[in-house]
Amino acid sequence: MPDHETMPSTPAPEVSARAAALPQEALKIASGYAFSGPALHLGALLWDGRCLPDAQIRVPLSMLNRHGLVAGATGTGKTKTLQLIAEQLSAQGVPVFLADIKGDLSGIAAPGRADARVEGRAGEVGQRWAPAGFPAEYYALGGIGRGIPVRATVTGFGPVLLSKVLRLNRTQEQSLALIFHYADSKGLELIDLKDLRAVVAYLTSDEGRQELRTIGGLSAATAGVILRSLTAFEAQGASGFFGEPEFDTGELLRTDGDGRGVVSVLELSAVQDRPQLFSTFLMWLLADLFHDLPELGDVDKPRLVFFLDEAHLLFDDASEAFLESITQTVRLIRSKGVGVFFVTQTPKDVPADVLAQLGNRVQHALRAFTPDDQKALNATVKTFPRSPYDLEEVLTGLGTGEAVVTVLSEKGAPTPVAATRLRAPESLMGPVGQEALDRAVRESPLYERYAQAVDRESAYERLERDPQAGRGRGAKGPDEMRDAAPARRGGEEPSMVEQVVGSGIFKSLARSVGTQVGREITRSLFGTARRSGRRRH
């Protein structure tokens, strides 16, 4: 990234005439944000203790598929920043996905209320504030909470994401992938958790032990660990998150009759005590979008901007395959017109390979009360380009609703670092009333489609009715696997492990769990899969 000495010393045409009177260093920074195309307004430059409303800090609309980071300590204003960005994206026809951890983003659908604080902030940053609501759709994970239920089938969720939720180690994750392969090959459809539990229970039963030996080195002990993890997971009330109707992520790409982007708000406050579950579900939504969307290349505006809140939870205790899959998803989904913003406390919460792909940065205040806080502060400062600011001092001195910003210009080059006083959102800064929220959910055209869970025949019912169903041949039988397996010296018959590993199904699945990342992937980067007949947008 260039430092401040490389920035132009004269204002670009888009810088206001009054900005020419700015201090020289402030003028250099402001000139870096003078874009000619559509842009979102973040706020006004802070310089030498003053807010300069003639120096507007913006981010080009065309660069919002280059991903970003919104970071800062608790209580520094991250949620309001998300709301500010989401409003402007919606107004410019870009759909937005927001994970509402605390339950206070539902107000985006209602006009805000003017008060002395809002009017004061608007005056300071040169904002023409007017109350406005934006089209919103409300969802709830598994129907827990107020919102249209969001569910995934076990097959759609895939083995990598499910392993993260179940806290399986690498060996157990690979074993779970083999179980998915086995269910695929036998035509045992995995819709909900009891389907998967039934398949694992069958493989560890007297009837299924022979089958267990045929699927590539899966030990009875490991299968038992997976079964116990599933049972404990169900006991925690997780069954409601998996099943049908499976949510079609194409719903997130809608605009309203006026051409404004619909803001999809996923309420997570009711499940915030299950961070592994909801953070992984957010990644499933993103992976499912990746799986379906066509390549677009460079676009004038994103097709969707997706905010991943509490992003550090994604990376805690994550397997290598999971981290590789996140990195690849973020790298590749940009060309499909989707921008991803990670929301967390410090940049160090995000792995370096992912952080390197986040071109737009809004860093709120950090605390330095402890040695660990100081280390996090030092690490954060090192992720920014050189600037005329003392960033350690600035980052610990920022007030609520202030941030250090650097984004990508219209040419894709980093802008100079700018301490910024952010604008006030124009929608309601807080939750809407419960009655209004319930009414919005019931009146949604999506409510009838997703509200009622459906439990059709799948693996559980088949195995309950006929315990021998697990021995039937499905899409690939042993003979077909043998044909696909590599030849052995001297005409020696390959073992069943080699037959499975050599089969096309297994190779596809192995790629999906990160062993050969970068090649053509059948089940998508996380091993997610979509069944035929599902709605497409």
Side-chain angles (χ1 to χ4, degrees):
M1 287 186 172
D3 60 45
H4 67 279
E5 295 178 352
T6 66
M7 299 309 302
S9 58
T10 56
E14 295 78 11
V15 179
S16 71
R18 289 184 299 174
L22 294 173
Q24 189 65 23
E25 290 286 5
L27 183 58
K28 290 180 182 178
I29 295 172
S31 297
Y33 292 86
F35 311 123
S36 59
L40 308 189
H41 291 262
L42 297 179
L45 182 69
L46 289 170
W47 182 260
D48 198 22
R50 294 187 298 133
C51 182
L52 307 175
D54 294 322
Q56 289 292 304
I57 304 304
R58 308 187 299 156
V59 54
L61 185 62
S62 61
M63 288 293 112
L64 283 168
N65 69 327
R66 300 295 183 93
H67 310 319
L69 176 75
V70 178
T74 301
T76 56
K78 296 192 299 295
T79 300
K80 299 300 178 285
T81 297
L82 305 189
Q83 190 169 344
L84 173 68
I85 295 173
E87 290 177 350
Q88 296 184 65
L89 286 166
S90 174
Q92 300 209 45
V94 178
V96 179
F97 173 86
L98 293 173
D100 190 5
I101 304 290
K102 293 175 287 187
D104 55 4
L105 280 170
S106 60
I108 198 165
R113 303 188 184 104
D115 57 26
R117 191 173 179 182
V118 167
E119 291 172 352
R121 173 59 62 100
E124 291 170 351
V125 301
Q127 176 185 8
R128 295 178 181 176
W129 190 90
F134 299 84
E137 200 76 77
Y138 299 105
Y139 299 99
L141 201 57
I144 297 179
R146 287 179 161 82
I148 296 162
V150 173
R151 304 180 188 89
T153 64
V154 170
T155 291
F157 208 68
V160 177
L161 292 174
L162 191 58
S163 294
K164 179 73 163 60
V165 170
L166 295 176
R167 298 177 180 267
L168 303 182
N169 63 31
R170 176 64 168 159
T171 299
Q172 293 159 357
E173 178 184 309
Q174 292 172 328
S175 297
L176 184 61
L178 284 169
I179 293 169
F180 269 68
H181 156 70
Y182 171 80
D184 281 350
S185 68
K186 299 299 181 181
L188 297 171
E189 198 167 6
L190 304 177
I191 303 297
D192 50 29
L193 289 178
K194 72 177 185 297
D195 289 323
L196 181 58
R197 177 165 45 81
V199 171
V200 180
Y202 168 73
L203 290 172
T204 56
S205 69
D206 291 340
E207 296 89 349
R209 281 175 185 166
Q210 180 61 38
E211 295 292 306
L212 188 65
R213 287 194 288 270
T214 70
I215 61 173
L218 174 60
S219 71
T222 299
V225 170
I226 294 172
L227 182 59
R228 288 192 295 275
S229 297
L230 276 170
T231 302
F233 190 47
E234 287 183 283
Q236 295 166 12
S239 296
F241 303 111
F242 296 90
E244 289 182 323
E246 185 174 59
F247 183 68
D248 183 351
T249 51
E251 312 285 10
L252 305 179
L253 305 175
R254 294 183 299 132
T255 54
D256 73 354
D258 296 326
R260 297 181 300 171
V262 172
V263 181
S264 298
V265 181
L266 178 64
E267 180 190 334
L268 295 174
S269 56
V271 293
Q272 61 182 307
D273 59 333
R274 286 172 262 193
Q276 286 277 340
L277 176 67
F278 76 67
S279 63
T280 311
F281 246 93
L282 295 181
M283 205 66 219
W284 170 73
L285 291 170
L286 192 60
D288 198 65
L289 281 165
F290 175 87
H291 188 264
D292 268 14
L293 292 178
E295 294 284 334
L296 294 179
D298 292 330
V299 291
D300 293 333
K301 63 182 182 181
R303 190 170 186 175
L304 171 74
V305 175
F306 194 101
F307 289 90
L308 274 167
D309 207 352
E310 300 291 338
H312 66 280
L313 297 172
L314 281 173
F315 308 111
D316 291 345
D317 303 319
S319 70
E320 182 180 348
F322 189 83
L323 293 176
E324 286 177 346
S325 297
I326 291 177
T327 303
Q328 288 294 96
T329 300
V330 172
R331 179 176 296 131
L332 298 174
I333 204 168
R334 176 173 67 84
S335 65
K336 299 192 174 192
V338 177
V340 183
F341 274 72
F342 291 85
V343 185
T344 188
Q345 294 207 2
T346 75
K348 66 175 293 188
D349 293 335
V350 181
D353 287 346
V354 176
L355 188 63
Q357 300 176 57
L358 310 184
N360 303 300
R361 303 270 299 279
V362 180
Q363 176 67 59
H364 287 266
L366 291 174
R367 310 303 182 209
F369 300 141
T370 68
D372 285 344
D373 289 343
Q374 187 62 48
K375 285 176 64 177
L377 175 61
N378 294 339
T380 299
V381 169
K382 290 176 182 177
T383 65
F384 281 92
R386 287 190 295 140
S387 79
Y389 295 101
D390 180 340
L391 285 180
E392 283 199 25
E393 182 179 339
V394 170
L395 287 172
T396 53
L398 290 170
T400 301
E402 297 176 346
V404 170
V405 174
T406 181
V407 302
L408 294 179
S409 72
E410 291 165 311
K411 296 181 179 179
T415 59
V417 176
T420 306
R421 183 161 293 160
L422 299 167
R423 292 186 168 210
E426 296 183 336
S427 57
L428 182 65
M429 289 187 278
V432 297
Q434 293 184 359
E435 184 177 336
L437 180 56
D438 289 341
R439 183 170 59 252
V441 171
R442 287 194 304 270
E443 293 176 355
S444 168
L446 304 182
Y447 182 75
E448 186 175 347
R449 189 178 304 155
Y450 294 108
Q452 188 63 46
V454 176
D455 187 11
R456 63 183 175 87
E457 180 174 284
S458 46
Y460 172 81
E461 288 79 12
R462 285 192 60 194
L463 289 169
E464 280 283 295
R465 187 178 66 250
D466 177 14
Q468 301 302 313
R471 295 187 179 183
R473 287 185 60 180
K476 287 278 185 180
D479 294 337
E480 294 165 288
M481 291 179 182
R482 186 179 299 113
D483 292 340
R488 291 168 63 89
R489 295 176 184 174
E492 183 182 351
E493 187 74 8
S495 69
M496 183 54 74
V497 173
E498 291 171 317
Q499 293 170 30
V500 173
V501 173
S503 71
I505 291 178
F506 183 84
K507 288 179 179 177
S508 166
L509 188 56
R511 284 195 297 269
S512 76
V513 296
T515 57
Q516 298 181 38
V517 172
R519 299 185 184 180
E520 182 179 355
I521 297 173
T522 301
R523 271 184 175 263
S524 170
L525 290 168
F526 283 93
T528 58
R530 303 187 84 174
R531 300 183 313 282
S532 60
R534 221 176 110 181
R535 291 179 69 249
R536 300 293 176 96
H537 283 248

PDB file of all heavy atoms in Angstrom, residues 457-487:
ATOM      1  N   GLU A 457     -39.914 -39.085   3.887  1.00  0.00           N
ATOM      2  CA  GLU A 457     -39.117 -40.302   4.048  1.00  0.00           C
ATOM      3  C   GLU A 457     -37.693 -40.073   3.585  1.00  0.00           C
ATOM      4  O   GLU A 457     -37.452 -39.542   2.503  1.00  0.00           O
ATOM      5  CB  GLU A 457     -39.731 -41.458   3.261  1.00  0.00           C
ATOM      6  CG  GLU A 457     -38.917 -42.743   3.413  1.00  0.00           C
ATOM      7  CD  GLU A 457     -39.576 -43.942   2.762  1.00  0.00           C
ATOM      8  OE1 GLU A 457     -40.535 -44.460   3.349  1.00  0.00           O
ATOM      9  OE2 GLU A 457     -39.124 -44.343   1.676  1.00  0.00           O
ATOM     10  N   SER A 458     -36.761 -40.491   4.408  1.00  0.00           N
ATOM     11  CA  SER A 458     -35.343 -40.376   4.076  1.00  0.00           C
ATOM     12  C   SER A 458     -34.598 -41.510   4.777  1.00  0.00           C
ATOM     13  O   SER A 458     -35.192 -42.557   5.053  1.00  0.00           O
ATOM     14  CB  SER A 458     -34.809 -38.986   4.463  1.00  0.00           C
ATOM     15  OG  SER A 458     -35.228 -38.621   5.767  1.00  0.00           O
ATOM     16  N   ALA A 459     -33.318 -41.335   5.071  1.00  0.00           N
ATOM     17  CA  ALA A 459     -32.506 -42.448   5.571  1.00  0.00           C
ATOM     18  C   ALA A 459     -33.084 -43.065   6.850  1.00  0.00           C
ATOM     19  O   ALA A 459     -33.125 -44.292   6.997  1.00  0.00           O
ATOM     20  CB  ALA A 459     -31.080 -41.978   5.808  1.00  0.00           C
ATOM     21  N   TYR A 460     -33.517 -42.240   7.789  1.00  0.00           N
ATOM     22  CA  TYR A 460     -34.033 -42.756   9.064  1.00  0.00           C
ATOM     23  C   TYR A 460     -35.225 -43.689   8.845  1.00  0.00           C
ATOM     24  O   TYR A 460     -35.272 -44.807   9.376  1.00  0.00           O
ATOM     25  CB  TYR A 460     -34.427 -41.588   9.963  1.00  0.00           C
ATOM     26  CG  TYR A 460     -35.134 -41.991  11.222  1.00  0.00           C
ATOM     27  CD1 TYR A 460     -34.418 -42.448  12.332  1.00  0.00           C
ATOM     28  CD2 TYR A 460     -36.530 -41.931  11.320  1.00  0.00           C
ATOM     29  CE1 TYR A 460     -35.072 -42.830  13.502  1.00  0.00           C
ATOM     30  CE2 TYR A 460     -37.185 -42.310  12.473  1.00  0.00           C
ATOM     31  CZ  TYR A 460     -36.446 -42.761  13.561  1.00  0.00           C
ATOM     32  OH  TYR A 460     -37.095 -43.146  14.707  1.00  0.00           O
ATOM     33  N   GLU A 461     -36.186 -43.221   8.052  1.00  0.00           N
ATOM     34  CA  GLU A 461     -37.385 -44.019   7.822  1.00  0.00           C
ATOM     35  C   GLU A 461     -37.062 -45.303   7.056  1.00  0.00           C
ATOM     36  O   GLU A 461     -37.623 -46.367   7.345  1.00  0.00           O
ATOM     37  CB  GLU A 461     -38.416 -43.193   7.050  1.00  0.00           C
ATOM     38  CG  GLU A 461     -39.090 -42.084   7.864  1.00  0.00           C
ATOM     39  CD  GLU A 461     -38.226 -40.848   8.023  1.00  0.00           C
ATOM     40  OE1 GLU A 461     -37.189 -40.748   7.301  1.00  0.00           O
ATOM     41  OE2 GLU A 461     -38.556 -39.993   8.857  1.00  0.00           O
ATOM     42  N   ARG A 462     -36.166 -45.212   6.087  1.00  0.00           N
ATOM     43  CA  ARG A 462     -35.805 -46.402   5.318  1.00  0.00           C
ATOM     44  C   ARG A 462     -35.150 -47.456   6.200  1.00  0.00           C
ATOM     45  O   ARG A 462     -35.451 -48.645   6.116  1.00  0.00           O
ATOM     46  CB  ARG A 462     -34.877 -46.025   4.169  1.00  0.00           C
ATOM     47  CG  ARG A 462     -35.576 -45.326   3.004  1.00  0.00           C
ATOM     48  CD  ARG A 462     -34.664 -45.249   1.808  1.00  0.00           C
ATOM     49  NE  ARG A 462     -34.266 -46.580   1.356  1.00  0.00           N
ATOM     50  CZ  ARG A 462     -33.273 -46.819   0.517  1.00  0.00           C
ATOM     51  NH1 ARG A 462     -32.538 -45.805   0.055  1.00  0.00           N
ATOM     52  NH2 ARG A 462     -32.971 -48.051   0.156  1.00  0.00           N
ATOM     53  N   LEU A 463     -34.225 -47.026   7.052  1.00  0.00           N
ATOM     54  CA  LEU A 463     -33.516 -47.979   7.903  1.00  0.00           C
ATOM     55  C   LEU A 463     -34.415 -48.519   9.018  1.00  0.00           C
ATOM     56  O   LEU A 463     -34.242 -49.658   9.467  1.00  0.00           O
ATOM     57  CB  LEU A 463     -32.268 -47.326   8.491  1.00  0.00           C
ATOM     58  CG  LEU A 463     -31.139 -47.073   7.480  1.00  0.00           C
ATOM     59  CD1 LEU A 463     -30.069 -46.180   8.077  1.00  0.00           C
ATOM     60  CD2 LEU A 463     -30.526 -48.400   7.007  1.00  0.00           C
ATOM     61  N   GLU A 464     -35.371 -47.704   9.484  1.00  0.00           N
ATOM     62  CA  GLU A 464     -36.334 -48.178  10.478  1.00  0.00           C
ATOM     63  C   GLU A 464     -37.220 -49.272   9.875  1.00  0.00           C
ATOM     64  O   GLU A 464     -37.520 -50.267  10.520  1.00  0.00           O
ATOM     65  CB  GLU A 464     -37.201 -47.015  10.970  1.00  0.00           C
ATOM     66  CG  GLU A 464     -36.548 -46.150  12.007  1.00  0.00           C
ATOM     67  CD  GLU A 464     -36.553 -46.791  13.372  1.00  0.00           C
ATOM     68  OE1 GLU A 464     -37.645 -47.001  13.944  1.00  0.00           O
ATOM     69  OE2 GLU A 464     -35.453 -47.131  13.876  1.00  0.00           O
ATOM     70  N   ARG A 465     -37.635 -49.046   8.632  1.00  0.00           N
ATOM     71  CA  ARG A 465     -38.520 -49.992   7.974  1.00  0.00           C
ATOM     72  C   ARG A 465     -37.784 -51.246   7.540  1.00  0.00           C
ATOM     73  O   ARG A 465     -38.295 -52.359   7.614  1.00  0.00           O
ATOM     74  CB  ARG A 465     -39.173 -49.319   6.763  1.00  0.00           C
ATOM     75  CG  ARG A 465     -40.253 -50.169   6.097  1.00  0.00           C
ATOM     76  CD  ARG A 465     -40.920 -49.445   4.935  1.00  0.00           C
ATOM     77  NE  ARG A 465     -40.006 -49.219   3.830  1.00  0.00           N
ATOM     78  CZ  ARG A 465     -39.549 -48.022   3.479  1.00  0.00           C
ATOM     79  NH1 ARG A 465     -39.924 -46.941   4.140  1.00  0.00           N
ATOM     80  NH2 ARG A 465     -38.714 -47.882   2.467  1.00  0.00           N
ATOM     81  N   ASP A 466     -36.529 -51.073   7.058  1.00  0.00           N
ATOM     82  CA  ASP A 466     -35.765 -52.201   6.517  1.00  0.00           C
ATOM     83  C   ASP A 466     -34.295 -52.030   6.874  1.00  0.00           C
ATOM     84  O   ASP A 466     -33.565 -51.309   6.194  1.00  0.00           O
ATOM     85  CB  ASP A 466     -35.929 -52.271   4.994  1.00  0.00           C
ATOM     86  CG  ASP A 466     -35.097 -53.395   4.375  1.00  0.00           C
ATOM     87  OD1 ASP A 466     -34.611 -54.269   5.136  1.00  0.00           O
ATOM     88  OD2 ASP A 466     -34.927 -53.383   3.140  1.00  0.00           O
ATOM     89  N   PRO A 467     -33.830 -52.660   7.959  1.00  0.00           N
ATOM     90  CA  PRO A 467     -32.426 -52.522   8.363  1.00  0.00           C
ATOM     91  C   PRO A 467     -31.438 -52.962   7.290  1.00  0.00           C
ATOM     92  O   PRO A 467     -30.252 -52.603   7.365  1.00  0.00           O
ATOM     93  CB  PRO A 467     -32.324 -53.409   9.599  1.00  0.00           C
ATOM     94  CG  PRO A 467     -33.721 -53.502  10.128  1.00  0.00           C
ATOM     95  CD  PRO A 467     -34.597 -53.482   8.910  1.00  0.00           C
ATOM     96  N   GLN A 468     -31.899 -53.727   6.303  1.00  0.00           N
ATOM     97  CA  GLN A 468     -31.004 -54.161   5.236  1.00  0.00           C
ATOM     98  C   GLN A 468     -30.865 -53.113   4.138  1.00  0.00           C
ATOM     99  O   GLN A 468     -30.115 -53.317   3.176  1.00  0.00           O
ATOM    100  CB  GLN A 468     -31.543 -55.463   4.605  1.00  0.00           C
ATOM    101  CG  GLN A 468     -31.687 -56.601   5.594  1.00  0.00           C
ATOM    102  CD  GLN A 468     -30.370 -56.952   6.275  1.00  0.00           C
ATOM    103  OE1 GLN A 468     -29.346 -57.076   5.601  1.00  0.00           O
ATOM    104  NE2 GLN A 468     -30.389 -57.083   7.594  1.00  0.00           N
ATOM    105  N   ALA A 469     -31.582 -51.986   4.270  1.00  0.00           N
ATOM    106  CA  ALA A 469     -31.532 -50.959   3.216  1.00  0.00           C
ATOM    107  C   ALA A 469     -30.119 -50.426   3.031  1.00  0.00           C
ATOM    108  O   ALA A 469     -29.738 -50.007   1.940  1.00  0.00           O
ATOM    109  CB  ALA A 469     -32.477 -49.808   3.555  1.00  0.00           C
ATOM    110  N   GLY A 470     -29.333 -50.466   4.109  1.00  0.00           N
ATOM    111  CA  GLY A 470     -27.962 -49.979   4.008  1.00  0.00           C
ATOM    112  C   GLY A 470     -27.065 -50.852   3.169  1.00  0.00           C
ATOM    113  O   GLY A 470     -25.958 -50.457   2.821  1.00  0.00           O
ATOM    114  N   ARG A 471     -27.550 -52.067   2.835  1.00  0.00           N
ATOM    115  CA  ARG A 471     -26.727 -52.954   2.015  1.00  0.00           C
ATOM    116  C   ARG A 471     -27.097 -52.887   0.541  1.00  0.00           C
ATOM    117  O   ARG A 471     -26.467 -53.516  -0.279  1.00  0.00           O
ATOM    118  CB  ARG A 471     -26.870 -54.395   2.498  1.00  0.00           C
ATOM    119  CG  ARG A 471     -26.315 -54.587   3.895  1.00  0.00           C
ATOM    120  CD  ARG A 471     -26.302 -56.046   4.291  1.00  0.00           C
ATOM    121  NE  ARG A 471     -25.747 -56.215   5.619  1.00  0.00           N
ATOM    122  CZ  ARG A 471     -25.548 -57.375   6.217  1.00  0.00           C
ATOM    123  NH1 ARG A 471     -25.888 -58.486   5.572  1.00  0.00           N
ATOM    124  NH2 ARG A 471     -25.034 -57.446   7.417  1.00  0.00           N
ATOM    125  N   GLY A 472     -28.151 -52.122   0.245  1.00  0.00           N
ATOM    126  CA  GLY A 472     -28.558 -52.012  -1.147  1.00  0.00           C
ATOM    127  C   GLY A 472     -27.577 -51.179  -1.937  1.00  0.00           C
ATOM    128  O   GLY A 472     -26.839 -50.355  -1.402  1.00  0.00           O
ATOM    129  N   ARG A 473     -27.578 -51.393  -3.275  1.00  0.00           N
ATOM    130  CA  ARG A 473     -26.682 -50.616  -4.123  1.00  0.00           C
ATOM    131  C   ARG A 473     -27.339 -49.317  -4.514  1.00  0.00           C
ATOM    132  O   ARG A 473     -28.511 -49.265  -4.846  1.00  0.00           O
ATOM    133  CB  ARG A 473     -26.316 -51.417  -5.379  1.00  0.00           C
ATOM    134  CG  ARG A 473     -25.351 -52.551  -5.088  1.00  0.00           C
ATOM    135  CD  ARG A 473     -24.937 -53.236  -6.359  1.00  0.00           C
ATOM    136  NE  ARG A 473     -24.279 -52.318  -7.263  1.00  0.00           N
ATOM    137  CZ  ARG A 473     -23.812 -52.679  -8.453  1.00  0.00           C
ATOM    138  NH1 ARG A 473     -23.958 -53.918  -8.866  1.00  0.00           N
ATOM    139  NH2 ARG A 473     -23.214 -51.818  -9.227  1.00  0.00           N
ATOM    140  N   GLY A 474     -26.560 -48.264  -4.472  1.00  0.00           N
ATOM    141  CA  GLY A 474     -27.063 -46.962  -4.867  1.00  0.00           C
ATOM    142  C   GLY A 474     -26.386 -46.497  -6.125  1.00  0.00           C
ATOM    143  O   GLY A 474     -26.231 -47.235  -7.088  1.00  0.00           O
ATOM    144  N   ALA A 475     -25.925 -45.244  -6.076  1.00  0.00           N
ATOM    145  CA  ALA A 475     -25.354 -44.632  -7.276  1.00  0.00           C
ATOM    146  C   ALA A 475     -24.077 -45.327  -7.727  1.00  0.00           C
ATOM    147  O   ALA A 475     -23.787 -45.415  -8.903  1.00  0.00           O
ATOM    148  CB  ALA A 475     -25.062 -43.153  -7.009  1.00  0.00           C
ATOM    149  N   LYS A 476     -23.297 -45.835  -6.779  1.00  0.00           N
ATOM    150  CA  LYS A 476     -22.047 -46.518  -7.120  1.00  0.00           C
ATOM    151  C   LYS A 476     -21.933 -47.783  -6.290  1.00  0.00           C
ATOM    152  O   LYS A 476     -22.019 -47.735  -5.070  1.00  0.00           O
ATOM    153  CB  LYS A 476     -20.840 -45.620  -6.812  1.00  0.00           C
ATOM    154  CG  LYS A 476     -20.653 -44.467  -7.789  1.00  0.00           C
ATOM    155  CD  LYS A 476     -19.929 -44.908  -9.039  1.00  0.00           C
ATOM    156  CE  LYS A 476     -19.644 -43.730  -9.955  1.00  0.00           C
ATOM    157  NZ  LYS A 476     -18.947 -44.132 -11.174  1.00  0.00           N
ATOM    158  N   GLY A 477     -21.752 -48.886  -6.947  1.00  0.00           N
ATOM    159  CA  GLY A 477     -21.565 -50.138  -6.242  1.00  0.00           C
ATOM    160  C   GLY A 477     -20.113 -50.555  -6.247  1.00  0.00           C
ATOM    161  O   GLY A 477     -19.273 -49.934  -6.885  1.00  0.00           O
ATOM    162  N   PRO A 478     -19.756 -51.649  -5.552  1.00  0.00           N
ATOM    163  CA  PRO A 478     -18.371 -52.095  -5.469  1.00  0.00           C
ATOM    164  C   PRO A 478     -17.743 -52.369  -6.826  1.00  0.00           C
ATOM    165  O   PRO A 478     -16.572 -52.060  -7.047  1.00  0.00           O
ATOM    166  CB  PRO A 478     -18.473 -53.363  -4.611  1.00  0.00           C
ATOM    167  CG  PRO A 478     -19.727 -53.190  -3.813  1.00  0.00           C
ATOM    168  CD  PRO A 478     -20.661 -52.456  -4.697  1.00  0.00           C
ATOM    169  N   ASP A 479     -18.523 -52.948  -7.784  1.00  0.00           N
ATOM    170  CA  ASP A 479     -17.942 -53.229  -9.091  1.00  0.00           C
ATOM    171  C   ASP A 479     -17.557 -51.949  -9.816  1.00  0.00           C
ATOM    172  O   ASP A 479     -16.501 -51.862 -10.435  1.00  0.00           O
ATOM    173  CB  ASP A 479     -18.927 -54.037  -9.942  1.00  0.00           C
ATOM    174  CG  ASP A 479     -19.177 -55.422  -9.361  1.00  0.00           C
ATOM    175  OD1 ASP A 479     -18.294 -55.892  -8.613  1.00  0.00           O
ATOM    176  OD2 ASP A 479     -20.237 -56.012  -9.652  1.00  0.00           O
ATOM    177  N   GLU A 480     -18.426 -50.947  -9.746  1.00  0.00           N
ATOM    178  CA  GLU A 480     -18.122 -49.678 -10.417  1.00  0.00           C
ATOM    179  C   GLU A 480     -16.944 -48.987  -9.757  1.00  0.00           C
ATOM    180  O   GLU A 480     -16.108 -48.385 -10.424  1.00  0.00           O
ATOM    181  CB  GLU A 480     -19.360 -48.775 -10.380  1.00  0.00           C
ATOM    182  CG  GLU A 480     -20.520 -49.325 -11.197  1.00  0.00           C
ATOM    183  CD  GLU A 480     -21.812 -48.618 -10.848  1.00  0.00           C
ATOM    184  OE1 GLU A 480     -22.341 -48.853  -9.749  1.00  0.00           O
ATOM    185  OE2 GLU A 480     -22.276 -47.832 -11.686  1.00  0.00           O
ATOM    186  N   MET A 481     -16.857 -49.083  -8.412  1.00  0.00           N
ATOM    187  CA  MET A 481     -15.714 -48.495  -7.722  1.00  0.00           C
ATOM    188  C   MET A 481     -14.428 -49.204  -8.128  1.00  0.00           C
ATOM    189  O   MET A 481     -13.381 -48.579  -8.314  1.00  0.00           O
ATOM    190  CB  MET A 481     -15.908 -48.588  -6.198  1.00  0.00           C
ATOM    191  CG  MET A 481     -17.020 -47.690  -5.671  1.00  0.00           C
ATOM    192  SD  MET A 481     -17.192 -47.892  -3.887  1.00  0.00           S
ATOM    193  CE  MET A 481     -18.572 -46.810  -3.574  1.00  0.00           C
ATOM    194  N   ARG A 482     -14.527 -50.531  -8.292  1.00  0.00           N
ATOM    195  CA  ARG A 482     -13.332 -51.290  -8.660  1.00  0.00           C
ATOM    196  C   ARG A 482     -12.847 -50.863 -10.040  1.00  0.00           C
ATOM    197  O   ARG A 482     -11.667 -50.750 -10.298  1.00  0.00           O
ATOM    198  CB  ARG A 482     -13.659 -52.795  -8.632  1.00  0.00           C
ATOM    199  CG  ARG A 482     -12.455 -53.685  -8.869  1.00  0.00           C
ATOM    200  CD  ARG A 482     -12.844 -55.151  -8.797  1.00  0.00           C
ATOM    201  NE  ARG A 482     -13.384 -55.493  -7.495  1.00  0.00           N
ATOM    202  CZ  ARG A 482     -14.638 -55.848  -7.267  1.00  0.00           C
ATOM    203  NH1 ARG A 482     -15.504 -55.916  -8.258  1.00  0.00           N
ATOM    204  NH2 ARG A 482     -15.034 -56.147  -6.041  1.00  0.00           N
ATOM    205  N   ASP A 483     -13.802 -50.608 -10.959  1.00  0.00           N
ATOM    206  CA  ASP A 483     -13.416 -50.178 -12.301  1.00  0.00           C
ATOM    207  C   ASP A 483     -12.699 -48.846 -12.261  1.00  0.00           C
ATOM    208  O   ASP A 483     -11.817 -48.570 -13.077  1.00  0.00           O
ATOM    209  CB  ASP A 483     -14.655 -50.050 -13.200  1.00  0.00           C
ATOM    210  CG  ASP A 483     -15.283 -51.413 -13.488  1.00  0.00           C
ATOM    211  OD1 ASP A 483     -14.570 -52.426 -13.333  1.00  0.00           O
ATOM    212  OD2 ASP A 483     -16.478 -51.440 -13.863  1.00  0.00           O
ATOM    213  N   ALA A 484     -13.076 -47.990 -11.304  1.00  0.00           N
ATOM    214  CA  ALA A 484     -12.463 -46.658 -11.229  1.00  0.00           C
ATOM    215  C   ALA A 484     -11.161 -46.667 -10.454  1.00  0.00           C
ATOM    216  O   ALA A 484     -10.402 -45.708 -10.495  1.00  0.00           O
ATOM    217  CB  ALA A 484     -13.431 -45.671 -10.559  1.00  0.00           C
ATOM    218  N   ALA A 485     -10.866 -47.741  -9.730  1.00  0.00           N
ATOM    219  CA  ALA A 485      -9.681 -47.772  -8.893  1.00  0.00           C
ATOM    220  C   ALA A 485      -8.429 -48.012  -9.721  1.00  0.00           C
ATOM    221  O   ALA A 485      -8.471 -48.626 -10.782  1.00  0.00           O
ATOM    222  CB  ALA A 485      -9.825 -48.889  -7.838  1.00  0.00           C
ATOM    223  N   PRO A 486      -7.261 -47.536  -9.247  1.00  0.00           N
ATOM    224  CA  PRO A 486      -6.028 -47.753  -9.988  1.00  0.00           C
ATOM    225  C   PRO A 486      -5.644 -49.226 -10.026  1.00  0.00           C
ATOM    226  O   PRO A 486      -5.926 -49.987  -9.101  1.00  0.00           O
ATOM    227  CB  PRO A 486      -5.000 -46.938  -9.180  1.00  0.00           C
ATOM    228  CG  PRO A 486      -5.586 -46.826  -7.811  1.00  0.00           C
ATOM    229  CD  PRO A 486      -7.058 -46.790  -7.989  1.00  0.00           C
ATOM    230  N   ALA A 487      -5.029 -49.661 -11.128  1.00  0.00           N
ATOM    231  CA  ALA A 487      -4.595 -51.059 -11.266  1.00  0.00           C
ATOM    232  C   ALA A 487      -3.449 -51.356 -10.315  1.00  0.00           C
ATOM    233  O   ALA A 487      -2.653 -50.497  -9.995  1.00  0.00           O
ATOM    234  CB  ALA A 487      -4.165 -51.310 -12.706  1.00  0.00           C
TER     235      ALA A 487
END
